[in-house]
Amino acid sequence: RALMDRIRFRADAVLVGGGTLRAANAPLRIRSRSLVRKRVAAGRPEQPLNVLLSASLDVPLEGRFFTARDTRKMVFTTTAAPARMRARAAELAEVLVSRGRSVSPRHLVGTLHRRGVRQLLLEGGGAMNFEFFRLGLIDEVYLTLCPVVIGGIESPSPVDGKGFSPAQFRWFSLASVRRAGGELFLHYSRTAQA
């Protein structure tokens, strides 16, 4: 949790997909009061902007993500989402609607960049992460290796989607390794293709 706080501390915005929100349903906030004070002292908002990417808006609008008062919220959705859900979400967050059935990750990143977001933290899910990897929009990767085996085809994966052929592999170099108990915290930075 302390490492996650430090990673979120650096972020201007934290992005999740609809599946992750349905599974976790929590605001994406920094818990450490000292890190919050440091952000404020640096002229930054207490908490990073919480961003949801959901084409269908099939998410719990009454959940903690939306009702938390200490986070600003932005929702990227589509015209495929029911109008009543878009209207309800607009009461709780700024809602940006794309035509069609999907939101372009490049459009999302460009919109956030124009609004001052320079550090965007993706917190899943796997399908959303895959699209950002596919488009070359990922600069760093943080992985936690835990001594737990989940297994099964339905188990969560950090990167789902179609996968990459060997010519399309995304390459990263190991920037740091930290150990806490039985867990390893791995930080990778994007490199040129190997």
Side-chain angles (χ1 to χ4, degrees):
R1 285 186 179 185
L3 179 58
M4 194 71 233
D5 260 4
R6 287 193 297 277
I7 295 169
R8 284 179 177 170
F9 170 80
R10 293 177 42 208
D12 298 311
V14 182
L15 171 65
V16 293
T20 298
L21 182 65
R22 285 188 297 276
N25 190 14
L28 309 166
R29 67 165 59 107
I30 301 163
R31 297 171 195 246
S32 165
R33 295 311 307 159
S34 66
L35 289 177
V36 168
R37 285 191 296 274
K38 283 182 184 178
R39 279 178 65 97
V40 171
R44 299 175 70 199
E46 284 189 21
Q47 298 292 337
L49 172 67
N50 282 205
V51 183
L52 170 65
L53 172 57
S54 174
S56 67
L57 273 183
D58 180 21
V59 295
L61 295 176
E62 67 288 342
R64 293 183 307 141
F65 177 88
F66 284 102
T67 59
R69 296 185 186 275
D70 62 345
T71 58
R72 277 184 34 242
K73 293 156 228 20
M74 182 180 288
V75 174
F76 286 84
T77 190
T78 67
T79 53
R84 64 178 172 73
M85 293 298 286
R86 293 193 315 257
R88 280 192 59 215
E91 296 171 4
L92 305 167
E94 179 179 0
V95 176
L96 297 131
V97 181
S98 294
R99 292 191 189 282
R101 299 198 153 299
S102 65
V103 176
S104 159
R106 283 196 172 111
H107 167 74
L108 183 150
V109 168
T111 299
L112 291 175
H113 189 267
R114 285 187 297 278
R115 292 169 180 236
V117 172
R118 299 299 179 262
Q119 292 281 330
L120 175 61
L121 175 62
L122 275 63
E123 291 195 15
M128 181 185 78
N129 289 346
F130 173 77
E131 286 304 311
F132 279 75
F133 273 110
R134 185 180 68 78
L135 294 169
L137 298 173
I138 306 289
D139 295 322
E140 296 179 282
V141 176
Y142 290 88
L143 293 173
T144 302
L145 185 58
C146 300
V148 175
V149 176
I150 298 173
I153 197 162
E154 298 296 322
S155 296
S157 166
V159 183
D160 293 329
K162 295 179 186 177
F164 297 109
S165 69
Q168 299 171 317
F169 285 170
R170 301 305 190 247
W171 294 93
F172 290 79
S173 61
L174 185 62
S176 67
V177 178
R178 294 166 67 166
R179 179 180 175 183
E183 296 183 350
L184 292 177
F185 301 99
L186 309 170
H187 173 208
Y188 292 90
S189 296
R190 185 168 59 177
T191 60
Q193 186 174 2

